[in-house]
Amino acid sequence: MPSESIFSKIIKGEIPADIVYQDELVTAFKDINPQAPLHILIVPNKEIPSVNDITPEDEPALGRLFSVAAKVAREQGIAESGYRLLINTGRDGGQEVPHLHMHIFGGRPLGPMLLRRQ
Ligand code: AMP
């Protein structure tokens, strides 16, 4: 059996995390190494490795990622000031954990979308 991702272990409660929301499709928890005053990850409970592995049957969970992002943003007080949603994919995308996840960043002006090339 392939090994579980660290996020699957968080979803099952096998390792600790600061979970802010969980339902039958997705789980949201605080990033362990925050890059902004608010940095939360929302992950499908099903272990989809990356955007490249999405199938049509995953669409309900992926839609839920967005509705939970909006709910978390409201509850954390950043809906009005604004925030950024980000999904890294693969090597050039900088994906470190092979379990699809959406980052929510907020709590300060986030600057340009990408670092400019030198
Ligand atoms: P990515 O580079 O898009 O794959 O992002 C992976 C994110 O997962 C990083 O921001 C890490 O800080 C975060 N992360 C890794 N391990 C944990 C953990 N145990 N609990 C919470 N966040 C984690």
Side-chain angles (χ1 to χ4, degrees):
M1 201 175 98
S3 64
E4 281 186 331
S5 76
I6 191 161
F7 292 166
S8 286
K9 292 183 175 140
I10 287 173
I11 290 161
K12 292 180 181 174
E14 292 171 2
I15 61 169
D18 191 348
I19 292 177
V20 299
Y21 178 85
Q22 186 163 44
D23 64 23
E24 79 285 8
L25 290 177
V26 305
T27 301
F29 51 92
K30 294 198 174 163
D31 196 289
I32 203 169
N33 183 23
Q35 304 296 311
L38 186 88
H39 184 177
I40 287 174
L41 302 174
I42 313 176
V43 309
N45 294 343
K46 175 183 169 188
E47 192 167 318
I48 304 165
S50 84
V51 169
N52 289 334
D53 303 293
I54 290 170
T55 64
E57 72 174 24
D58 300 323
E59 287 170 5
L62 300 174
R64 188 69 60 84
L65 288 186
F66 281 92
S67 55
V68 170
K71 174 182 167 60
V72 166
R74 276 194 304 274
E75 289 177 357
Q76 299 284 332
I78 59 165
E80 288 303 315
S81 52
Y83 51 95
R84 181 169 295 158
L85 303 179
L86 177 73
I87 301 177
N88 292 323
T89 302
R91 186 185 59 242
D92 283 358
Q95 183 179 6
E96 292 172 2
V97 177
H99 184 147
L100 192 155
H101 49 283
M102 176 187 280
H103 297 256
I104 309 178
F105 300 105
R108 65 166 166 79
L110 293 166
M113 190 163 60
L114 293 174
L115 289 175
R116 300 190 199 292
R117 284 186 84 178
Q118 298 301 316

